[in-house]
Amino acid sequence: MPKPANGNARGFATIPNGRSIATQIMAEERTVGAAYYGTHPEVLSRLLSDLTPEERRRVRHLDPAENACVEERSLNRYPQTGGRLEFPDDSVVERRKADTEVEAADLLAKWVNTHIDPETEVVAMWGNYVVPSLAMPSKVLADHAGAVVASSSDVWVYADRESLIIERFHDGRTTLARVG
């Protein structure tokens, strides 16, 4: 496809450094967002207080650079509509409606226990950038799925080793998908 006179091959306008305006805006948002990322870990106090001392030792907050890396390998691989990931049909393993936090927690625990090795490190990401993402063994996440779901109305769990992502969106749509 020929490159338009004032844009890149996909038709996005470019700025003098050759980047599309959309790419520049996303880079600026990440830079500004990084300043606020993880500034409210207290939101996770219920989840963290539910953990045993042994479990707590196996849970860690991701710093902004780690979080950005995980987002690139997971969330940012999909287009989003209103914050919800738009998975291609062929990557969806299962999709269900979970109308309550209890249903969502049960579904999250079931999927994690069924599809992810108990010792695989998973990353829980929340719908609010000021809440830090947490890395933990999948068994810990599954055992505390209720507190995970209660931490945010939108939750994503990413298992890099299994190439899986689980999205619990605030409207109740809950999706298990392969990251491809």
Side-chain angles (χ1 to χ4, degrees), residues 51-97:
L51 302 175
T52 67
E54 174 59 29
E55 290 171 329
R56 183 64 188 96
R57 282 190 288 280
R58 300 183 74 198
V59 174
R60 63 185 177 82
H61 292 81
L62 271 60
D63 65 31
E66 289 176 298
N67 187 68
C69 183
V70 170
E71 285 182 351
E72 285 301 315
R73 291 193 321 264
S74 60
L75 304 179
N76 293 349
R77 296 182 72 143
Y78 301 98
Q80 297 181 24
T81 302
R84 179 191 341 222
L85 301 179
E86 296 300 331
F87 299 103
D89 289 340
D90 63 348
S91 72
V92 174
V93 176
E94 189 172 347
R95 179 173 284 144
R96 304 246 317 261
K97 182 85 165 160

Side-chain angles (χ1 to χ4, degrees), residues 70 74-75 85 87 108-109 111-112 116 120-126 134 136-138 141-142 145 148-149 154-160 163-168 175-177 179:
V70 170
S74 60
L75 304 179
L85 301 179
F87 299 103
L108 176 60
W111 285 350
V112 167
I116 302 172
T120 291
E121 182 177 79
V122 297
V123 175
M125 297 167 276
W126 325 102
L134 295 178
M136 67 190 80
S138 68
L141 186 133
V148 169
V149 169
D154 299 326
V155 178
W156 295 271
V157 174
Y158 175 61
D160 188 56
S163 297
L164 291 171
I165 189 165
I166 300 170
E167 176 183 57
R168 194 302 179 157
T175 305
L176 171 65
V179 177

